[in-house]
Amino acid sequence: MTDKFDKEPADGKPSAGVSKEGTALAPEAIKAIPVRHYGRWISGVIVLGLLALLINAFATAKKINWGAVGDYIFDPTVLAGAGRTLLISILAMIMGVVLGVILAVMRMSKNPVTSSVAWLYIWIFRGTPVYVQLLIWFNLALVFEYLNLGPFYKDEMVQVMTPFMAALLGLGLNEAAYMAEICRAGLMAVDEGQTEAAHALGMSHGKTLRRIVIPQAMRVIVPPTGNEFINMLKTSSLVYVVTYNELLRATSTIGSTSYAVMELLFVASIWYLVMTSVFSVFQYYLERRFARGSLRQLPPTPWQKVKANLISIGGRERGASA
Amino acid sequence: MTAMVKAEGVHKAYGAVQVLKGIDLEVQTGEVFCLIGPSGSGKSTFLRCINHLEKINAGRLYVDGELVGYRQKGDKLYELKDSEVAQQRRDIGMVFQRFNLFPHMTAAENVMEAPIQVKGVSKSQARERAHELLTKVGLGDKAGNYPSQLSGGQQQRVAIARALAMEPKLMLFDEPTSALDPELVGDVLDVMRDLAESGMTMVVVTHEMGFAREVGDSVVFMDGGVVVESGNPREVLTNPQHERTQAFLSKVL
Ligand SMILES: Nc1ncnc2c1ncn2[C@@H]1O[C@H](COP(=O)(O)OP(=O)(O)O)[C@@H](O)[C@H]1O
Ligand SMILES: [Mg+2]
């Protein structure tokens, strides 16, 4: 929201390559020998060499049964575990984002009670390890035998605090504290003039927030949120401890019963890599979507880049043959 | 004639710093009222008080006979609720020095936003009106452009169209041409001149003395949070009575 306005396109300038007589001559294309980057080549060769050694060490290790990795990669138990990892990560993230936005708005509220409550929440949930928080939720029945919500709901805590619930609350509530800080930074990054302009038009606080401020804050919020989600996919392996049967727990169980501990850890790693990679691509498109209006032209998608390169190569060849 | 804006002893302080020290003035309905003065004299602050973007500390401020931001019962003042303040602002358009267009919306969407969100106008109706207004400010062909794809002068004209879309009875301009390259100032002033001719009541903070002289009906010279001199712009600007006015005008003219 800075001086974007000052950058006028510099058109209308006389173009180079117009000869004195006024006839436009195409300037001779520059044919220079590019700078040779020997360092890049040498370092590249060294890295590739080291990588080959490493791969070789694993591939030829007699104690690793690579066949087992192939056998178990699509095992139904493993797939179900990966599905649960995805499910708990998505649900916890949704919980984190929704609560995080609410906490961020509360934290910036003029009401001192509201902002203190949000501050306290963030202080506690960011200040303690998520592992400990998971264990606290899981063991809540030790101190509260019943969950009693007055006339609405009453049940034994062990019935309520299933592994799934403990995992969701542990991950989601913790994530909310981090998301609150990310959202707050995003909301504060939006120029105050935007709020003023909306208020001057007679828009309410809520509408100003929803229609004007939050959409602009998204540009700042989306990239770190994507990172948070990728982190969440991995952090969700901690819910192992509350006996929720996600990817790591599923693979470890098979690993220890079939004497293929390392192989199954590889299986888990492959699935984690697949999930994080897919979401990295998704995040790229999401960021592009929220850059709308802030750039004069959106950056090309990877596919558009490939297409443009192909066309330019084709074009050059055609030009040369003509 | 009735007063569109009436200020009685308006005071405003930021902490211990007194910015407005008792402003008394009247803006008549249908007139172009220019506010001039050196930087830091409180012009923007006063303009922002008129639509309650700033709360005043003392005095009274009326727009169209209605107290701004408060309700008076007997000798007690009650603060208006946020929704009531928003209701008052609907009828007052404001144009900012830095445009403050919504960057994530196209020119047309900028103009359509408030009528749809605040007045509940239908989308198609708002779109039609937006195109009319953009055409009026000379930007009929730029409706689909985002603000970042427009020059400063074009952005400011979109901002004027956006304010007009709410059909205000009063327009506030805070140095609308100060952030523009010199060659773009004229286009914006032309739009403002047309608006003045159509009978809009306008309060304009400006350093464009030519505009004040030609289009202005009244001018007020502010310095240090007080009104130093006021009157007909053709008189005040050519034959200032007060020493501070003379010193200021000799610098800007
Ligand atoms: N939000 C604020 N907090 C503190 N001081 C302010 C604030 N806004 C304006 N001021 C001060 O009030 C004075 C008048 O400012 P302003 O109304 O912007 O003057 P002008 O528009 O005439 O240049 C200046 O000295 C400025 O520093
Ligand atoms: Mg100012």
Side-chain angles (χ1 to χ4, degrees), chain B residues 89-119:
Chain B
R89 287 182 182 138
R90 280 179 178 207
D91 300 331
I92 306 171
M94 187 159 189
V95 175
F96 301 85
Q97 185 175 351
R98 303 289 317 275
F99 327 136
N100 294 347
L101 287 183
F102 306 133
H104 57 304
M105 300 180 185
T106 62
E109 286 167 350
N110 264 278
V111 180
M112 291 156 64
E113 181 67 10
I116 293 174
Q117 296 299 327
V118 178
K119 283 190 168 170

Side-chain angles (χ1 to χ4, degrees), chain B residues 39-108:
Chain B
S39 183
S41 56
K43 306 180 299 292
S44 299
T45 305
F46 179 68
L47 211 59
R48 294 158 57 81
C49 289
I50 295 177
N51 66 357
H52 209 55
L53 285 175
E54 303 285 352
K55 276 195 174 80
I56 64 175
N57 302 113
R60 294 282 188 277
L61 195 49
Y62 300 89
V63 171
D64 208 11
E66 225 181 295
L67 201 55
V68 174
Y70 302 93
R71 184 182 304 111
Q72 187 154 15
K73 270 194 197 145
D75 56 355
K76 278 206 182 109
L77 277 190
Y78 296 87
E79 274 187 24
L80 291 185
K81 282 185 286 186
D82 285 345
S83 59
E84 292 167 316
V85 173
Q87 179 77 32
Q88 285 188 335
R89 287 182 182 138
R90 280 179 178 207
D91 300 331
I92 306 171
M94 187 159 189
V95 175
F96 301 85
Q97 185 175 351
R98 303 289 317 275
F99 327 136
N100 294 347
L101 287 183
F102 306 133
H104 57 304
M105 300 180 185
T106 62

